[in-house]
Structure formats: structure tokens, C-alpha cells
Amino acid sequence: MTPLPPQGSKDTPPLGLLGAGTLLSLLLQPALAADALLRGTVTDAASGAPAACTVTITDASGKTVTETDAFKGGFRCAGAFEKQLPAGRTRVRVTRGFETRAETRDLVLHDGETNALTFSLSRAVDLRSRGWVAGDSHAHMIHGERTLPVDFAFVGLTARAEDLRYLSLAHAWQLDDPTPERLDAALAPHATPDCALAWNLEAPKNYYKGDVGRCLGHGWTLGLRGRTASGADVIPLLLRASAWDYESRKPTFANFESHALIRAQGGAAFYSHPLRWWTGAWGGQGGYPKQERMRLSNMAVELPLDTLLGPTYDGLDVLTSGGEAEANDKAFRLWALLLTHGYRVAATASSDACFDRAGGAAPGTARTYTYLGQEPFSFAAVARATAAGRTFATTGPLLLADVDGLAPGSAVPADGQGRTLRIEAWASGKDSAGLKQAEVLRNGQPLHTVSFKTPQAAWQTNLVLRETEPAWYCVRLTGGPQGGRAVSGAFFFDPAPHRPPPPAACRVRARVVDAASGSPLGATLTEVFDVAFAPRDGAAHPAPGGLADIACPGTARLRAEAPGYAALTLSPIYDCPALAEAITRLEDTDLLNWETFERMRALLANVELTFGLTPTTR
């Protein structure tokens, strides 16, 4: 029984002042609130070992039992749990990612009794045994709000409970002075042979001049080495190259400059939620006036430029977590647009989970599956395979597709011969509603659609494809009442070996002048690359009389040097007002229109830069 508060405490008035009804109510309250004890054991059906999982208990009052506000769908469990619960009808549901069948038990708890439940979790399909690994590389330990505590042990348990083969945890972290080595040491105790943990960064994460209405785009990385060849820590280097909310005084770096650093470190770079935007209040900092309703953006407005210049990135999320159906549909259309124009970037998914935010500790709600085949797991291997497009993206349904036994990302000759597209599909183990629809798409348009009259737990089929023209195919699944979706990577049919589009040409008309007088200065203009971390010089161009017409890579900056003057380096992109304005004012409809890409190509061919040099101090 729960004792009454001490007489005379601030919580309870003296007993002499209580009415008879109130006193009776207090005396009866402990008996009415008596609990039952529920103990649970969860094992893996194949191995018999304890199974990390998510437990959702709905108690007699209809409330979901939680342990932290960071996760409101229940609590995470390493294989055993014990809860004091109110007597009455109770439901217990145990889940483990998408491949495992959920288990649900209904029971009636009685006062003072102890109840024991055992759960043996079995897989509907074991994709790891077939060479596929699932991961999430866009999850924040600390997003920035720091509203809830979080530690590495909880992160590791969560990853195992979601059956992720790997979780790559983005900044910030619950660690003072994080370095690659200190992060590795903090994560290692909470990883297992079946669930690898790594750190990464949401990078680039760029708002042009700190204006959240002019987002250049957010990204995530995979397989990034922590130290450059010279021993420099990549964490401050990448953070230096990103401008966050309100950082209006920070120098502008292009996203492609961060991409160059990521790739130089053995990593791969992917755009996240490329079509996400909303309206809300913003301003009052960084020199920006307060606005109650303005267009706020996470959109990847630099993506058209980065595509034409490379692509400088490796893929983009066609799926993000729940509540973003419209943005996800647009992201798929953007991916299809790029493929149709010859840019073979990977289709990925990520959750954007935020462990320090209420309800945010839910990684893997959108995840990328990558095909490694017989190659042993490593983050470097996953990065290579993901960048190669050997993927499927999902928020629930599971999807394997191959063409003549070849994984997504592969190309076959468009020689008119029949090629067999084999599809295997399963509803998520969390989804009792089953699969609702399967589509085969050619060049982004539905070619063959199957709508199931009765929702299917599993489905498979073969289709014979014949092509004599360039084409690409993918498969898309829809399931569940929440609209869970899966998208396969693309298969390509090529009449001749594929040649990616060449990088767009950049032509700069440069003027070099004295900053005070405007007088022309004879100078040399040198291309500079990798400005974000290890500047290196490229070709040099003379500017006699202070004028030059230069053809150079769009990923280069230009450094102007004249005798007796301090050197000045400018970006042909963000120091060119016409280009900067055109890029940062794009809207979602612009990103879905190839005319936007061609307009960027035309602007790249017509860049004007003025270098105003100041004399050196003598």
C-alpha cells in the first residue's frame, strides 16, 4: 500500500479538517490503485538468444507505457522487461524492425498477481542472409534543441531494437570535444557483431547567409574517414564549410565543396529530404527581422548545379520518415528526372531521427537496404555499394528485384533480347494490413501495376523486358494503412556503353581592379580547389590589363594576384550575384523542371566576377 503523505504536509491538510467522504476516499485510494506485475522475455526464434526489440504496452487505462519522452511508441528492450501495471485488460505488442513478424498478446491483469509472457520472434524474411544490409545514416544524437537527455547506450539499444545492421549517428553528440577517436571509443561498447555503430555528420547543412528560407540543401555521409592524410580532423572542417540557421556572417561554401571533402575521405554524400519546405515563424536573430509566417526550407536548391558539375554527390533520399508523403513523391520525381537525363544517382532513404527531441528517438523508420552480396560488412563497403545504386529504400515494405540476376544499379544491353525482371516482396512485419500495390516503372512512369484485392503478406512475379532504346526501370511497393512504401534502385538498358553527361562548362569574365579607385590591375587568376579543407592550385590564367575570359571547372574558385596587392579568392558561384540569386530562390516546382537545370547551365557559361584588390601594407 502507498502511505498517505505525513499529516500537516503541504500535500495533505490535517486529518481533522477533512470531511468524512474525503477521508474515506483517501483510505480507499491505495487499494484501488494496486498494481499487477508483468514480466516479459523476448528471444530470437532461430538462435534462442535474447532479442532486442520494441515493446508497446497499452494498459487498462488506454495509455502507452513509455520510459522516456524521446520515444513515445513504447520502450526499447534488450530481451527482458518488468513493469508494474494497473489491473485490467492489457495489450502487449513486440516488434523488431521490418523483417520480423510482430507478436501481440492480450491479457487481463489482476491486482497483486505476477504474470509472465514469453515471445519468440521469427523473421518473415532474412535479407542479411541474402546479402542485403539495412541502415540509417541520418539520425541525430543531439539535433540542437537538447530538450531531452540521451546517451550512447540508449542509441545502441535502439539500433538493435530496430534490427539495423548499422546506424551512423550524426552530430552533435553527448561528448565534450568530440574527435573521431573519442567518438569511436564512445560508440564501440554499444555495438555488436550484428549491429555496427559509427558517427557521421549531417553535411553539408547549408543555409545561404544563415537564411533558413534559402537552404542550399542538407546531406548525410557514409564511410567517411575521420582524419585527412595530413592528420586534420574532418569534423571541424565540415562544420566550417556549413552555415547553419542565423549564421549570416559566416563565409559561404558551396555544397559541392563539402562533397569533395567527403569523397576525398573515402565517403559518399547523399542529399536528404530534397523537397521539404513549410511555413512558420522565423527571424529575430542574425540580422533578420522577425516574421510570423514565412517560407522555411530544407530543400536542396543547389542540387541542379551540383548535378551539372558532376554529379558531385552520390544519391538522394526518395523516402524520409512518416508525415512527408507529398515531399517523398516529389523526391521520387526528382530522382526520376535525373536518371532520365543520364545522371545515375542512387535512391536512398533516411529517418532524420532526433534523439534529443520528444518522440524523435526513432531511427530506421525510413531506411536504406544495400546489397553487399558475399562481401563482408564494413562501412566502406556499404558506402561503395550504396553510391553504386545497389539499393532499395523503404518505410516498411521489403523489396528484392533483379534483372537476369543483377542487382539494382546494373546495366544490361538494350539489344532486344528478353531480360527477366524478378520481384520478391513482403509486407513489413509491423504491418498487419499487408501489401496493397506493386508497380513496375519505366523511365519513371508506371508500366505494369498490380493492385491487390486482398492485401498480401508476400508476393513475387517475373516479367520479361525487351529494349532497343535507352531506358531505366524500377519497382515500387505500397503497403499498410500509413502508406508505407519501398522503391528499388534502377536497372538500366543501354544500346551502347553508358557515358555520363560531361560536367557543365563554366566561363568567367573577370575584372581585376584597385578596390578604392576602380583602376584596372594586371593580374594572374589561379584556379583553387578543395578550399574547404586542403586548398590546392590548378591552372593559372593571365589577366593583362585586369581582364580575362576564363574557361574553368565550376567547382573551382579563382584567386586574383597582382604585384603590391593582397590576393583575393572568389567563387564563380556564390560571388556571382546572378547565379547566387538564381540558385537560392528556387522552389520545389523548379527542382522538378529540367528547364531549371538548363537555365543553370546557361548561367554557368556567363559568369561575371570583379576582384577588388587592396594594396598590401608596406
Side-chain angles (χ1 to χ4, degrees), residues 139-143 169-173 200-203 205 239 244:
H140 300 269
M141 187 174 193
I142 298 175
H143 185 263
L169 193 66
H171 68 294
W173 307 275
N200 74 348
L201 287 88
E202 184 179 29
K205 183 174 184 174
L239 295 181
W244 291 12

Side-chain angles (χ1 to χ4, degrees), residues 301-315:
V301 298
E302 194 187 288
L303 184 145
L305 179 73
D306 294 347
T307 300
L308 296 173
L309 294 179
T312 64
Y313 59 96
D314 297 287

Side-chain angles (χ1 to χ4, degrees), residues 141 186 259 496 541:
M141 187 174 193
H259 296 158
H541 307 270

